[in-house]
Amino acid sequence: MNLLPIFTTPMWEARVNDYEKKKEKLVQAAKNFKEKYPESIKMNTHSGYQSPLNLTKEPEFEKLFDLLCTLGLKAASELQFVECEIFITSAWVNFFETRQDMTYYHTHGDTFSGVVYLEAPKDSGKLVISNPGLNLVWQGCMLTGQKNKFTSEKLAITPAEGKIFIWPSYLLHQVLPNNHDETRISLNFNLIAIPKGQLQPNQ
């Protein structure tokens, strides 16, 4: 009998080149944005700071956003989409500053979502992706002694400074609390893929 894995959940990992040289400028830009908009919008956060979604207007992040769009194009190509253009529809920063700060499970809109870790001390809260192909009422969930890519309920990703993760926006995910008393700063974003030629010049 042959095992036929019929569905796969895509996710992409990348890194900001020479992040160590860029970190101070990007972290300071994130802090300046927080000072500019001090009130958290708390869309998905249990606590902690979540900025408005208009970070795309900040020039300090322009090169980073260009990189994210390039990565989005690669992701669209690897999914064998029709020829697309990629745009960032929203971006924001999250500051987790206590051991209670976290986000609930949630999904985003558009085509792709992702995160860039700007500051992530050791034992920062992990990004947890829920397995969309597993139904927890399935009796087999109780029979797996060793979880694997077919039976794992979730994937926990350890933050690392300069790392980028991109996933389809339909994936359910959350962020766990920090296990330290320092600050974890992430830049979060949504990308939309639009078939080439469909976007009008005035849009």
Side-chain angles (χ1 to χ4, degrees):
M1 182 170 66
N2 295 323
L3 173 64
L4 302 176
I6 59 173
F7 298 116
T8 300
T9 302
M11 189 170 187
W12 295 268
E13 178 183 1
R15 182 172 176 80
V16 179
N17 289 333
D18 297 320
Y19 181 72
E20 293 74 16
K21 298 178 181 178
K22 302 169 183 176
K23 175 183 173 179
E24 183 177 356
K25 179 180 177 181
L26 291 173
V27 167
Q28 188 59 53
K31 291 179 177 178
N32 292 343
F33 195 71
K34 183 174 183 277
E35 289 181 8
K36 186 177 178 181
Y37 301 98
E39 187 171 345
S40 175
I41 64 172
K42 294 187 183 299
M43 285 182 61
N44 301 303
T45 55
H46 175 269
S47 58
Y49 172 81
Q50 185 172 359
S51 81
L53 308 183
N54 60 343
L55 190 70
T56 53
K57 298 179 181 179
E58 301 301 304
E60 293 88 349
F61 295 100
E62 184 176 355
K63 290 183 179 179
L64 179 55
F65 291 143
D66 287 344
L67 170 62
L68 298 178
C69 285
T70 299
L71 295 174
L73 279 173
K74 179 173 174 55
S77 174
E78 291 182 345
L79 292 181
Q80 298 181 354
F81 285 0
V82 298
E83 190 174 4
C84 289
E85 296 178 274
I86 297 286
F87 302 94
I88 291 187
T89 55
S90 56
W92 62 99
V93 287
N94 282 347
F95 282 65
F96 284 9
E97 300 169 293
T98 76
R99 293 175 184 246
Q100 288 74 46
D101 297 348
M102 59 172 290
T103 66
Y104 300 109
Y105 271 117
H106 61 284
T107 61
H108 296 199
D110 298 323
T111 312
F112 300 111
S113 298
V115 61
V116 184
Y117 293 108
L118 302 183
E119 193 163 72
K122 184 180 178 181
D123 295 327
S124 287
K126 293 183 179 182
L127 169 67
V128 179
I129 305 290
S130 180
N131 182 353
L134 189 68
N135 187 331
L136 296 183
V137 303
W138 176 47
Q139 193 264 355
C141 292
M142 299 181 292
L143 302 175
T144 53
Q146 182 68 41
K147 298 294 184 181
N148 55 51
K149 65 180 180 180
F150 300 109
T151 59
S152 293
E153 299 170 13
K154 57 193 176 184
L155 170 68
I157 295 171
T158 300
E161 293 179 358
K163 277 286 185 73
I164 303 168
F165 292 95
I166 297 176
W167 58 86
S169 298
Y170 63 77
L171 281 181
L172 199 63
H173 60 282
Q174 72 167 155
V175 179
L176 300 179
N178 294 329
N179 191 28
H180 56 67
D181 297 307
E182 300 175 70
T183 299
R184 170 191 178 279
I185 305 174
S186 63
L187 184 155
N188 311 272
F189 58 92
N190 291 319
L191 302 172
I192 191 168
I194 299 177
K196 201 159 189 177
Q198 285 196 10
L199 190 68
Q200 299 301 316
N202 60 345
Q203 289 182 275

